[in-house]
Amino acid sequence: MNREPIYAALFAYFSALTVGGAPAFLKATRRLDHWDNALPEESPQLLMQQRREVANYRKGLPTIWSLDVALFLYVHTGADNDKTLIPSQILNPLLDAIEQSLTVDDLSNNTCTLGGLVSHCAISGAVEIFQGNLGDEEVAIVPINILVSP
């Protein structure tokens, strides 16, 4: 397995998303930072973190790797200044764009392969959403699982 092309492709895949014809994220980085450091003028932000890699050894067969990545979405909502704003209305289109971007490109296996780079790439697990508890900031953490097999 060659890790860096996989992680770089995944980041490029999500950082290039659009919503309504405009870039979905004003800032995108593979360097995780706390939401307290997220500037309103750079919002919405996408941050990607490599979390875990698990090797599934099979005697006499190639190892299958499972790579876990977390996408952090930081959004400044303006809700502190305008109490009529609903923070989820800003975050939901971004979550939809991430989900819809993982389109099936391997029809025989009904999976997203990032253009044949991996065996499978999908949202997997609970999406954590912190709405309104952070004042003007809203955060979502999206778990992505990638399977890599020879």
mmCIF file of all heavy atoms in Angstrom, residues 61-102:
data_model
loop_
_atom_site.group_PDB
_atom_site.id
_atom_site.type_symbol
_atom_site.label_atom_id
_atom_site.label_comp_id
_atom_site.label_asym_id
_atom_site.label_seq_id
_atom_site.Cartn_x
_atom_site.Cartn_y
_atom_site.Cartn_z
ATOM 1 N N LEU A 61 -2.910 -14.870 1.756
ATOM 2 C CA LEU A 61 -3.575 -13.863 0.925
ATOM 3 C C LEU A 61 -3.009 -12.476 1.253
ATOM 4 O O LEU A 61 -2.483 -12.258 2.342
ATOM 5 C CB LEU A 61 -5.085 -13.869 1.176
ATOM 6 C CG LEU A 61 -5.822 -15.149 0.798
ATOM 7 C CD1 LEU A 61 -7.256 -15.093 1.294
ATOM 8 C CD2 LEU A 61 -5.783 -15.370 -0.706
ATOM 9 N N PRO A 62 -3.137 -11.523 0.342
ATOM 10 C CA PRO A 62 -2.654 -10.163 0.627
ATOM 11 C C PRO A 62 -3.409 -9.522 1.795
ATOM 12 O O PRO A 62 -4.587 -9.806 2.024
ATOM 13 C CB PRO A 62 -2.929 -9.402 -0.664
ATOM 14 C CG PRO A 62 -3.110 -10.446 -1.718
ATOM 15 C CD PRO A 62 -3.650 -11.663 -1.019
ATOM 16 N N THR A 63 -2.732 -8.676 2.508
ATOM 17 C CA THR A 63 -3.336 -7.945 3.628
ATOM 18 C C THR A 63 -4.324 -6.916 3.093
ATOM 19 O O THR A 63 -4.068 -6.239 2.101
ATOM 20 C CB THR A 63 -2.240 -7.241 4.440
ATOM 21 O OG1 THR A 63 -1.364 -8.244 4.963
ATOM 22 C CG2 THR A 63 -2.819 -6.425 5.577
ATOM 23 N N ILE A 64 -5.453 -6.806 3.771
ATOM 24 C CA ILE A 64 -6.434 -5.763 3.479
ATOM 25 C C ILE A 64 -6.292 -4.704 4.563
ATOM 26 O O ILE A 64 -6.297 -5.016 5.753
ATOM 27 C CB ILE A 64 -7.868 -6.318 3.452
ATOM 28 C CG1 ILE A 64 -8.023 -7.301 2.296
ATOM 29 C CG2 ILE A 64 -8.877 -5.179 3.341
ATOM 30 C CD1 ILE A 64 -9.381 -7.972 2.247
ATOM 31 N N TRP A 65 -6.154 -3.457 4.134
ATOM 32 C CA TRP A 65 -6.009 -2.345 5.066
ATOM 33 C C TRP A 65 -7.318 -1.575 5.184
ATOM 34 O O TRP A 65 -8.009 -1.338 4.192
ATOM 35 C CB TRP A 65 -4.919 -1.395 4.587
ATOM 36 C CG TRP A 65 -3.544 -1.912 4.836
ATOM 37 C CD1 TRP A 65 -2.800 -2.701 3.998
ATOM 38 C CD2 TRP A 65 -2.759 -1.715 5.997
ATOM 39 N NE1 TRP A 65 -1.587 -2.991 4.578
ATOM 40 C CE2 TRP A 65 -1.533 -2.393 5.810
ATOM 41 C CE3 TRP A 65 -2.958 -1.019 7.182
ATOM 42 C CZ2 TRP A 65 -0.526 -2.395 6.760
ATOM 43 C CZ3 TRP A 65 -1.952 -1.008 8.128
ATOM 44 C CH2 TRP A 65 -0.754 -1.705 7.914
ATOM 45 N N SER A 66 -7.637 -1.183 6.404
ATOM 46 C CA SER A 66 -8.777 -0.319 6.673
ATOM 47 C C SER A 66 -8.223 0.982 7.247
ATOM 48 O O SER A 66 -7.561 0.975 8.291
ATOM 49 C CB SER A 66 -9.721 -0.987 7.675
ATOM 50 O OG SER A 66 -10.782 -0.124 7.996
ATOM 51 N N LEU A 67 -8.464 2.083 6.557
ATOM 52 C CA LEU A 67 -7.963 3.396 6.964
ATOM 53 C C LEU A 67 -9.138 4.240 7.451
ATOM 54 O O LEU A 67 -10.138 4.379 6.745
ATOM 55 C CB LEU A 67 -7.284 4.105 5.792
ATOM 56 C CG LEU A 67 -6.286 3.299 4.954
ATOM 57 C CD1 LEU A 67 -5.761 4.140 3.804
ATOM 58 C CD2 LEU A 67 -5.158 2.791 5.822
ATOM 59 N N ASP A 68 -9.010 4.783 8.645
ATOM 60 C CA ASP A 68 -10.052 5.649 9.196
ATOM 61 C C ASP A 68 -9.575 7.094 9.187
ATOM 62 O O ASP A 68 -8.485 7.400 9.672
ATOM 63 C CB ASP A 68 -10.413 5.229 10.613
ATOM 64 C CG ASP A 68 -11.157 3.906 10.661
ATOM 65 O OD1 ASP A 68 -11.949 3.652 9.733
ATOM 66 O OD2 ASP A 68 -10.937 3.137 11.609
ATOM 67 N N VAL A 69 -10.413 7.949 8.648
ATOM 68 C CA VAL A 69 -10.137 9.376 8.522
ATOM 69 C C VAL A 69 -11.313 10.125 9.136
ATOM 70 O O VAL A 69 -12.460 9.671 9.056
ATOM 71 C CB VAL A 69 -9.986 9.753 7.030
ATOM 72 C CG1 VAL A 69 -9.911 11.247 6.830
ATOM 73 C CG2 VAL A 69 -8.780 9.061 6.424
ATOM 74 N N ALA A 70 -11.034 11.268 9.734
ATOM 75 C CA ALA A 70 -12.095 12.136 10.235
ATOM 76 C C ALA A 70 -12.044 13.453 9.476
ATOM 77 O O ALA A 70 -10.977 14.052 9.327
ATOM 78 C CB ALA A 70 -11.940 12.378 11.727
ATOM 79 N N LEU A 71 -13.201 13.872 8.989
ATOM 80 C CA LEU A 71 -13.343 15.200 8.396
ATOM 81 C C LEU A 71 -13.984 16.101 9.443
ATOM 82 O O LEU A 71 -15.040 15.774 9.983
ATOM 83 C CB LEU A 71 -14.235 15.149 7.154
ATOM 84 C CG LEU A 71 -13.803 14.253 6.014
ATOM 85 C CD1 LEU A 71 -14.838 14.312 4.886
ATOM 86 C CD2 LEU A 71 -12.432 14.630 5.506
ATOM 87 N N PHE A 72 -13.330 17.202 9.739
ATOM 88 C CA PHE A 72 -13.872 18.184 10.676
ATOM 89 C C PHE A 72 -14.389 19.363 9.861
ATOM 90 O O PHE A 72 -13.652 19.918 9.035
ATOM 91 C CB PHE A 72 -12.787 18.661 11.644
ATOM 92 C CG PHE A 72 -12.375 17.629 12.653
ATOM 93 C CD1 PHE A 72 -11.552 16.577 12.285
ATOM 94 C CD2 PHE A 72 -12.815 17.712 13.961
ATOM 95 C CE1 PHE A 72 -11.167 15.615 13.213
ATOM 96 C CE2 PHE A 72 -12.435 16.753 14.895
ATOM 97 C CZ PHE A 72 -11.612 15.697 14.525
ATOM 98 N N LEU A 73 -15.628 19.734 10.083
ATOM 99 C CA LEU A 73 -16.223 20.891 9.423
ATOM 100 C C LEU A 73 -16.446 21.960 10.484
ATOM 101 O O LEU A 73 -17.104 21.707 11.497
ATOM 102 C CB LEU A 73 -17.558 20.531 8.778
ATOM 103 C CG LEU A 73 -17.598 19.304 7.879
ATOM 104 C CD1 LEU A 73 -18.988 19.121 7.302
ATOM 105 C CD2 LEU A 73 -16.567 19.399 6.792
ATOM 106 N N TYR A 74 -15.878 23.135 10.266
ATOM 107 C CA TYR A 74 -16.048 24.261 11.174
ATOM 108 C C TYR A 74 -16.824 25.346 10.434
ATOM 109 O O TYR A 74 -16.437 25.758 9.336
ATOM 110 C CB TYR A 74 -14.709 24.843 11.614
ATOM 111 C CG TYR A 74 -13.811 23.918 12.404
ATOM 112 C CD1 TYR A 74 -12.478 24.242 12.595
ATOM 113 C CD2 TYR A 74 -14.278 22.737 12.975
ATOM 114 C CE1 TYR A 74 -11.634 23.420 13.342
ATOM 115 C CE2 TYR A 74 -13.444 21.909 13.709
ATOM 116 C CZ TYR A 74 -12.123 22.258 13.886
ATOM 117 O OH TYR A 74 -11.290 21.448 14.617
ATOM 118 N N VAL A 75 -17.899 25.801 11.064
ATOM 119 C CA VAL A 75 -18.741 26.820 10.456
ATOM 120 C C VAL A 75 -19.017 27.914 11.477
ATOM 121 O O VAL A 75 -19.404 27.629 12.608
ATOM 122 C CB VAL A 75 -20.085 26.204 9.979
ATOM 123 C CG1 VAL A 75 -21.006 27.272 9.448
ATOM 124 C CG2 VAL A 75 -19.848 25.127 8.949
ATOM 125 N N HIS A 76 -18.785 29.165 11.097
ATOM 126 C CA HIS A 76 -19.231 30.312 11.894
ATOM 127 C C HIS A 76 -20.608 30.672 11.376
ATOM 128 O O HIS A 76 -20.780 30.977 10.194
ATOM 129 C CB HIS A 76 -18.262 31.492 11.754
ATOM 130 C CG HIS A 76 -17.067 31.350 12.620
ATOM 131 N ND1 HIS A 76 -17.014 31.849 13.899
ATOM 132 C CD2 HIS A 76 -15.884 30.737 12.407
ATOM 133 C CE1 HIS A 76 -15.851 31.564 14.431
ATOM 134 N NE2 HIS A 76 -15.142 30.894 13.551
ATOM 135 N N THR A 77 -21.582 30.657 12.257
ATOM 136 C CA THR A 77 -22.967 30.776 11.827
ATOM 137 C C THR A 77 -23.508 32.199 11.833
ATOM 138 O O THR A 77 -24.480 32.481 11.145
ATOM 139 C CB THR A 77 -23.872 29.929 12.745
ATOM 140 O OG1 THR A 77 -23.789 30.458 14.075
ATOM 141 C CG2 THR A 77 -23.448 28.477 12.730
ATOM 142 N N GLY A 78 -22.940 33.073 12.630
ATOM 143 C CA GLY A 78 -23.517 34.408 12.788
ATOM 144 C C GLY A 78 -24.684 34.413 13.745
ATOM 145 O O GLY A 78 -25.350 35.431 13.925
ATOM 146 N N ALA A 79 -24.951 33.286 14.384
ATOM 147 C CA ALA A 79 -26.105 33.172 15.279
ATOM 148 C C ALA A 79 -25.975 34.041 16.522
ATOM 149 O O ALA A 79 -26.987 34.380 17.135
ATOM 150 C CB ALA A 79 -26.321 31.718 15.672
ATOM 151 N N ASP A 80 -24.769 34.403 16.910
ATOM 152 C CA ASP A 80 -24.603 35.289 18.063
ATOM 153 C C ASP A 80 -25.201 36.664 17.779
ATOM 154 O O ASP A 80 -25.734 37.317 18.677
ATOM 155 C CB ASP A 80 -23.121 35.450 18.429
ATOM 156 C CG ASP A 80 -22.584 34.267 19.204
ATOM 157 O OD1 ASP A 80 -23.382 33.406 19.619
ATOM 158 O OD2 ASP A 80 -21.355 34.204 19.387
ATOM 159 N N ASN A 81 -25.125 37.100 16.524
ATOM 160 C CA ASN A 81 -25.632 38.418 16.142
ATOM 161 C C ASN A 81 -27.061 38.376 15.628
ATOM 162 O O ASN A 81 -27.760 39.380 15.666
ATOM 163 C CB ASN A 81 -24.734 39.036 15.069
ATOM 164 C CG ASN A 81 -23.324 39.251 15.572
ATOM 165 O OD1 ASN A 81 -23.119 39.562 16.738
ATOM 166 N ND2 ASN A 81 -22.351 39.080 14.699
ATOM 167 N N ASP A 82 -27.490 37.241 15.117
ATOM 168 C CA ASP A 82 -28.831 37.103 14.555
ATOM 169 C C ASP A 82 -29.460 35.831 15.114
ATOM 170 O O ASP A 82 -29.188 34.738 14.651
ATOM 171 C CB ASP A 82 -28.754 37.048 13.028
ATOM 172 C CG ASP A 82 -30.123 36.972 12.376
ATOM 173 O OD1 ASP A 82 -31.144 36.787 13.082
ATOM 174 O OD2 ASP A 82 -30.175 37.072 11.131
ATOM 175 N N LYS A 83 -30.303 35.977 16.109
ATOM 176 C CA LYS A 83 -30.898 34.822 16.805
ATOM 177 C C LYS A 83 -31.902 34.073 15.936
ATOM 178 O O LYS A 83 -32.367 33.002 16.305
ATOM 179 C CB LYS A 83 -31.564 35.269 18.109
ATOM 180 C CG LYS A 83 -30.608 35.911 19.091
ATOM 181 C CD LYS A 83 -29.507 34.964 19.506
ATOM 182 C CE LYS A 83 -28.592 35.624 20.520
ATOM 183 N NZ LYS A 83 -27.367 34.911 20.726
ATOM 184 N N THR A 84 -32.248 34.610 14.755
ATOM 185 C CA THR A 84 -33.178 33.905 13.875
ATOM 186 C C THR A 84 -32.464 32.867 13.012
ATOM 187 O O THR A 84 -33.106 32.031 12.391
ATOM 188 C CB THR A 84 -33.928 34.885 12.948
ATOM 189 O OG1 THR A 84 -32.988 35.519 12.072
ATOM 190 C CG2 THR A 84 -34.681 35.927 13.767
ATOM 191 N N LEU A 85 -31.134 32.936 12.970
ATOM 192 C CA LEU A 85 -30.364 31.968 12.183
ATOM 193 C C LEU A 85 -30.411 30.594 12.832
ATOM 194 O O LEU A 85 -30.319 30.461 14.054
ATOM 195 C CB LEU A 85 -28.910 32.403 12.045
ATOM 196 C CG LEU A 85 -28.642 33.604 11.154
ATOM 197 C CD1 LEU A 85 -27.176 33.995 11.226
ATOM 198 C CD2 LEU A 85 -29.021 33.294 9.718
ATOM 199 N N ILE A 86 -30.553 29.586 12.016
ATOM 200 C CA ILE A 86 -30.534 28.203 12.481
ATOM 201 C C ILE A 86 -29.228 27.596 12.003
ATOM 202 O O ILE A 86 -29.030 27.416 10.796
ATOM 203 C CB ILE A 86 -31.749 27.423 11.947
ATOM 204 C CG1 ILE A 86 -33.031 28.094 12.429
ATOM 205 C CG2 ILE A 86 -31.674 25.964 12.371
ATOM 206 C CD1 ILE A 86 -34.285 27.562 11.789
ATOM 207 N N PRO A 87 -28.305 27.312 12.919
ATOM 208 C CA PRO A 87 -26.976 26.835 12.526
ATOM 209 C C PRO A 87 -26.989 25.616 11.602
ATOM 210 O O PRO A 87 -26.186 25.533 10.685
ATOM 211 C CB PRO A 87 -26.309 26.513 13.865
ATOM 212 C CG PRO A 87 -26.978 27.416 14.841
ATOM 213 C CD PRO A 87 -28.401 27.499 14.374
ATOM 214 N N SER A 88 -27.905 24.690 11.817
ATOM 215 C CA SER A 88 -27.918 23.482 10.985
ATOM 216 C C SER A 88 -28.228 23.792 9.525
ATOM 217 O O SER A 88 -27.851 23.031 8.637
ATOM 218 C CB SER A 88 -28.912 22.460 11.535
ATOM 219 O OG SER A 88 -30.213 22.994 11.539
ATOM 220 N N GLN A 89 -28.888 24.911 9.245
ATOM 221 C CA GLN A 89 -29.172 25.269 7.858
ATOM 222 C C GLN A 89 -27.903 25.631 7.104
ATOM 223 O O GLN A 89 -27.878 25.584 5.880
ATOM 224 C CB GLN A 89 -30.171 26.418 7.789
ATOM 225 C CG GLN A 89 -31.558 26.015 8.218
ATOM 226 C CD GLN A 89 -32.520 27.181 8.215
ATOM 227 O OE1 GLN A 89 -32.167 28.310 8.558
ATOM 228 N NE2 GLN A 89 -33.757 26.903 7.846
ATOM 229 N N ILE A 90 -26.863 25.994 7.812
ATOM 230 C CA ILE A 90 -25.575 26.287 7.189
ATOM 231 C C ILE A 90 -24.758 25.011 7.038
ATOM 232 O O ILE A 90 -24.106 24.784 6.021
ATOM 233 C CB ILE A 90 -24.809 27.342 8.017
ATOM 234 C CG1 ILE A 90 -25.612 28.648 8.042
ATOM 235 C CG2 ILE A 90 -23.410 27.562 7.477
ATOM 236 C CD1 ILE A 90 -25.125 29.662 9.038
ATOM 237 N N LEU A 91 -24.813 24.144 8.045
ATOM 238 C CA LEU A 91 -24.016 22.919 8.047
ATOM 239 C C LEU A 91 -24.600 21.814 7.164
ATOM 240 O O LEU A 91 -23.851 21.096 6.488
ATOM 241 C CB LEU A 91 -23.854 22.406 9.474
ATOM 242 C CG LEU A 91 -22.934 21.216 9.658
ATOM 243 C CD1 LEU A 91 -21.513 21.567 9.235
ATOM 244 C CD2 LEU A 91 -22.961 20.736 11.097
ATOM 245 N N ASN A 92 -25.908 21.679 7.133
ATOM 246 C CA ASN A 92 -26.528 20.561 6.401
ATOM 247 C C ASN A 92 -26.149 20.493 4.924
ATOM 248 O O ASN A 92 -25.866 19.399 4.421
ATOM 249 C CB ASN A 92 -28.052 20.582 6.568
ATOM 250 C CG ASN A 92 -28.465 20.122 7.947
ATOM 251 O OD1 ASN A 92 -27.713 19.440 8.639
ATOM 252 N ND2 ASN A 92 -29.661 20.497 8.363
ATOM 253 N N PRO A 93 -26.105 21.602 4.177
ATOM 254 C CA PRO A 93 -25.685 21.502 2.773
ATOM 255 C C PRO A 93 -24.240 21.004 2.616
ATOM 256 O O PRO A 93 -23.917 20.319 1.645
ATOM 257 C CB PRO A 93 -25.826 22.933 2.243
ATOM 258 C CG PRO A 93 -26.827 23.571 3.135
ATOM 259 C CD PRO A 93 -26.615 22.950 4.484
ATOM 260 N N LEU A 94 -23.376 21.324 3.588
ATOM 261 C CA LEU A 94 -21.993 20.840 3.529
ATOM 262 C C LEU A 94 -21.946 19.327 3.762
ATOM 263 O O LEU A 94 -21.226 18.600 3.067
ATOM 264 C CB LEU A 94 -21.129 21.562 4.560
ATOM 265 C CG LEU A 94 -21.028 23.073 4.389
ATOM 266 C CD1 LEU A 94 -20.292 23.696 5.568
ATOM 267 C CD2 LEU A 94 -20.368 23.428 3.072
ATOM 268 N N LEU A 95 -22.719 18.856 4.725
ATOM 269 C CA LEU A 95 -22.792 17.414 4.973
ATOM 270 C C LEU A 95 -23.377 16.687 3.765
ATOM 271 O O LEU A 95 -22.898 15.618 3.379
ATOM 272 C CB LEU A 95 -23.618 17.126 6.231
ATOM 273 C CG LEU A 95 -22.994 17.588 7.549
ATOM 274 C CD1 LEU A 95 -23.997 17.478 8.692
ATOM 275 C CD2 LEU A 95 -21.736 16.796 7.850
ATOM 276 N N ASP A 96 -24.400 17.287 3.159
ATOM 277 C CA ASP A 96 -24.987 16.688 1.947
ATOM 278 C C ASP A 96 -23.963 16.600 0.829
ATOM 279 O O ASP A 96 -23.888 15.595 0.123
ATOM 280 C CB ASP A 96 -26.194 17.509 1.473
ATOM 281 C CG ASP A 96 -27.388 17.406 2.409
ATOM 282 O OD1 ASP A 96 -27.421 16.496 3.252
ATOM 283 O OD2 ASP A 96 -28.282 18.274 2.299
ATOM 284 N N ALA A 97 -23.163 17.653 0.654
ATOM 285 C CA ALA A 97 -22.157 17.664 -0.415
ATOM 286 C C ALA A 97 -21.115 16.568 -0.195
ATOM 287 O O ALA A 97 -20.698 15.903 -1.156
ATOM 288 C CB ALA A 97 -21.479 19.033 -0.486
ATOM 289 N N ILE A 98 -20.711 16.361 1.048
ATOM 290 C CA ILE A 98 -19.744 15.294 1.336
ATOM 291 C C ILE A 98 -20.350 13.935 1.014
ATOM 292 O O ILE A 98 -19.738 13.106 0.339
ATOM 293 C CB ILE A 98 -19.266 15.375 2.796
ATOM 294 C CG1 ILE A 98 -18.336 16.581 2.951
ATOM 295 C CG2 ILE A 98 -18.576 14.080 3.225
ATOM 296 C CD1 ILE A 98 -17.944 16.882 4.362
ATOM 297 N N GLU A 99 -21.566 13.708 1.479
ATOM 298 C CA GLU A 99 -22.212 12.419 1.219
ATOM 299 C C GLU A 99 -22.411 12.192 -0.278
ATOM 300 O O GLU A 99 -22.092 11.126 -0.812
ATOM 301 C CB GLU A 99 -23.561 12.348 1.930
ATOM 302 C CG GLU A 99 -24.284 11.038 1.680
ATOM 303 C CD GLU A 99 -25.671 10.989 2.274
ATOM 304 O OE1 GLU A 99 -26.161 12.017 2.802
ATOM 305 O OE2 GLU A 99 -26.280 9.919 2.196
ATOM 306 N N GLN A 100 -22.895 13.185 -0.980
ATOM 307 C CA GLN A 100 -23.180 13.034 -2.406
ATOM 308 C C GLN A 100 -21.919 12.912 -3.251
ATOM 309 O O GLN A 100 -21.958 12.358 -4.345
ATOM 310 C CB GLN A 100 -24.046 14.205 -2.884
ATOM 311 C CG GLN A 100 -25.437 14.176 -2.282
ATOM 312 C CD GLN A 100 -26.185 15.489 -2.439
ATOM 313 O OE1 GLN A 100 -25.731 16.406 -3.107
ATOM 314 N NE2 GLN A 100 -27.333 15.586 -1.781
ATOM 315 N N SER A 101 -20.795 13.394 -2.727
ATOM 316 C CA SER A 101 -19.554 13.315 -3.497
ATOM 317 C C SER A 101 -19.016 11.894 -3.573
ATOM 318 O O SER A 101 -18.253 11.568 -4.478
ATOM 319 C CB SER A 101 -18.488 14.234 -2.892
ATOM 320 O OG SER A 101 -17.984 13.687 -1.692
ATOM 321 N N LEU A 102 -19.405 11.056 -2.638
ATOM 322 C CA LEU A 102 -18.914 9.676 -2.603
ATOM 323 C C LEU A 102 -19.736 8.813 -3.551
ATOM 324 O O LEU A 102 -20.359 7.837 -3.161
ATOM 325 C CB LEU A 102 -18.956 9.139 -1.165
ATOM 326 C CG LEU A 102 -17.988 9.830 -0.221
ATOM 327 C CD1 LEU A 102 -18.253 9.427 1.218
ATOM 328 C CD2 LEU A 102 -16.547 9.551 -0.608
#
